Amino acid sequence: MIAFEKALELVLNNSASFGEVTLPLDKAVGRILAEDVFADRDFPPFNRATKDGIAIHYESVSNAFSKFKIQDTAAAGSPQLQLFNTSDCIEVMTGAMVPINCDTVIMYEHLVIESGFATLLKPVKKGQNIHVKGSDEPKGVKVLERGIQISASEIGVLASVGKAVLKVKKNPRISIVSTGDELVNVHEFPKAHQIRKSNSHTLKAALIDKGIASEMVHIPDEKVKTKEVISKLLLTSDVILLSGGVSKGKYDYLPEVFEELNITKVFHKVRQRPGKPFWFGSHEESKTTVFGFPGNPVSTFANFNIYFLPWLDKSLMGVVKKEITVILEEEFENTTDLTRFIRAKLVLKNGKTRAQLIEGNGSGDLTSLTKSDGFLKVPPNKKCIKGAKVSFLPTRRIL
Ligand code: AMP
Ligand code: MG
């Protein structure tokens, strides 16, 4: 059995690559950018009025009550106008090109407009209310770097530089496999000795949250069938996420089936709780990565977050997310030689993020997950006092 840190290191060392795909802009949110993106024009592309009002030639201001004859009106979206007499002005709307011979914009709130003339009510600063051409980013500069995750902010930049289609990292093809003769489908009414499948739905939902589609498959506790299904899935999956069937039980066939199918074991069992019987490996021939999570719902969910999501980040972005630390609201002592993952809820107190422990009833206690925001990671044989900083693995969008 290996330590948690070693297990995570081995998982990350086995990151994979799934290629690239070209997508339309509207399908790209959440994906990882696979190309550098450059400004195709200056940002902004012209001297842009940032207020509705008038544009003037600053030198023509003689005092706070200077009066300007209105020559014309420049609307947003109309070609650039020219101020012919520099002692006159042109009305400009926000987003319009500042006219030739103008260098300053005064907003309507600081003017009186009467009988075709604008009179200033306040002192004016040269260059005010103009968003200068190229002042955000000059043409040709790299505005987005490959490897970043595309959020709504990046979509705006991509749209501005004309990227109607763009290259992103391909998502892995994922199969979710549930195992066990005790499991029935959600719409079925379980007999006394049965329960409904939940892990596959949890995993599918967690993947949807990441924008990744997946297929669900069920395998009964039968060795021949197990081998048959897994060998087929190797041909069609970049990743197989399994729950159950990797512990010491008489019907836990997965480890021997993996071996018979030449799936290389990287490790089996980690000194951690929950999630100790985790099996991890990969199939050289098909390049499929196999995560065999123990079946208890908290174990499956914890290990998906502890191992699979960092593996996915490493595979798609080349890096893993930085660890978050939170302040412990109450003392916790780990008296075991296992790394403990403790369910916790976050609260914001005096501007600081604090963690309250959630009493869970073991690793089968699925409802405790709905009360928690993630897991605190507590190293073996460690006492954490109230107020201690402890690393935290969020399992939902928090705060
Ligand atoms: P196993 O790892 O196969 O020994 O399963 C451990 C426990 O998790 C057993 O109580 C199973 O009934 C339960 N379990 C396994 N798979 C699932 C699943 N997909 N949904 C809910 N519970 C499961
Ligand atoms: Mg089982």
Side-chain angles (χ1 to χ4, degrees), residues 178-179 182-183 195-199 243-245 247 252 294-297:
S178 54
T179 66
E182 73 280 30
L183 302 176
I195 57 167
R196 291 193 183 93
K197 272 175 218 163
S198 64
N199 288 342
S243 63
S247 305
D252 290 338
N296 267 314

Side-chain angles (χ1 to χ4, degrees), residues 69-112:
K69 183 166 180 254
I70 299 170
Q71 175 199 307
D72 204 342
T73 301
S78 57
Q80 191 176 29
L81 299 181
Q82 180 173 353
L83 186 67
F84 297 122
N85 182 343
T86 54
S87 59
D88 290 348
C89 73
I90 291 180
E91 282 189 76
V92 283
M93 304 301 121
T94 303
M97 290 182 89
V98 174
I100 296 167
N101 296 330
C102 294
D103 55 11
T104 302
V105 169
I106 302 140
M107 60 180 177
Y108 282 133
E109 291 85 336
H110 294 173
L111 298 168
V112 170

Side-chain angles (χ1 to χ4, degrees), residues 11-289:
V11 167
L12 296 177
N13 285 346
N14 279 277
S15 61
S17 172
F18 324 111
E20 295 169 357
V21 63
T22 301
L23 285 185
L25 179 64
D26 289 347
K27 298 268 184 259
V29 71
R31 304 296 292 258
I32 309 303
L33 189 62
E35 59 177 311
D36 290 332
V37 174
F38 300 89
D40 67 331
R41 309 165 75 192
D42 284 335
F43 262 55
F46 49 82
N47 285 340
R48 183 179 75 93
T50 63
K51 294 282 187 320
D52 299 316
I54 59 165
I56 58 161
H57 183 73
Y58 179 76
E59 302 293 313
S60 307
V61 177
S62 49
N63 58 52
F65 298 100
S66 297
K67 200 168 178 178
F68 298 87
K69 183 166 180 254
I70 299 170
Q71 175 199 307
D72 204 342
T73 301
S78 57
Q80 191 176 29
L81 299 181
Q82 180 173 353
L83 186 67
F84 297 122
N85 182 343
T86 54
S87 59
D88 290 348
C89 73
I90 291 180
E91 282 189 76
V92 283
M93 304 301 121
T94 303
M97 290 182 89
V98 174
I100 296 167
N101 296 330
C102 294
D103 55 11
T104 302
V105 169
I106 302 140
M107 60 180 177
Y108 282 133
E109 291 85 336
H110 294 173
L111 298 168
V112 170
I113 307 264
E114 220 173 47
S115 316
F117 284 85
T119 306
L120 306 191
L121 295 177
K122 295 211 168 179
V124 173
K125 254 176 56 193
K126 185 175 181 182
Q128 70 182 31
N129 300 326
I130 295 176
H131 190 187
V132 175
K133 178 179 191 295
S135 62
D136 293 349
E137 304 289 353
K139 178 180 173 175
V141 92
K142 196 195 284 179
V143 284
L144 295 173
E145 189 113 18
R146 62 186 296 143
I148 56 134
Q149 186 163 29
I150 302 169
S151 71
S153 327
E154 282 77 30
I155 291 285
V157 173
L158 289 161
S160 298
V161 300
K163 296 295 286 183
V165 291
L166 56 142
K167 254 197 269 172
V168 300
K169 289 288 178 82
K170 231 187 212 168
N171 281 332
R173 297 163 302 162
I174 303 186
S175 299
I176 298 173
V177 180
S178 54
T179 66
D181 287 348
E182 73 280 30
L183 302 176
V184 299
N185 289 317
V186 182
H187 60 273
E188 291 175 291
F189 196 81
K191 299 200 177 83
H193 53 280
Q194 297 175 322
I195 57 167
R196 291 193 183 93
K197 272 175 218 163
S198 64
N199 288 342
S200 341
H201 296 281
T202 307
L203 296 182
K204 192 173 178 73
L207 289 171
I208 289 173
D209 226 20
K210 290 266 148 194
I212 300 180
S214 57
E215 295 296 325
M216 284 204 268
V217 182
H218 181 73
I219 306 183
D221 287 326
E222 233 177 78
K223 189 169 165 191
V224 176
K225 187 75 183 157
T226 301
K227 196 167 169 181
E228 187 189 308
V229 174
I230 307 260
S231 65
K232 277 196 192 140
L233 290 179
L234 286 174
L235 303 174
T236 56
S237 320
D238 296 308
V239 181
I240 308 180
L241 299 177
L242 303 106
S243 63
V246 287
S247 305
K248 278 222 176 314
K250 265 195 175 158
Y251 310 105
D252 290 338
Y253 294 120
L254 287 178
E256 52 189 281
V257 164
F258 292 155
E259 197 181 324
E260 287 172 27
L261 290 173
N262 284 326
I263 303 174
T264 310
K265 178 177 85 176
V266 177
F267 60 82
H268 185 197
K269 298 198 176 100
V270 185
R271 278 200 293 277
Q272 69 175 76
R273 183 190 296 157
K276 185 159 103 181
F278 176 38
W279 194 101
F280 177 74
S282 67
H283 187 235
E284 174 111 35
E285 209 184 312
S286 62
K287 302 271 174 282
T288 306
T289 308

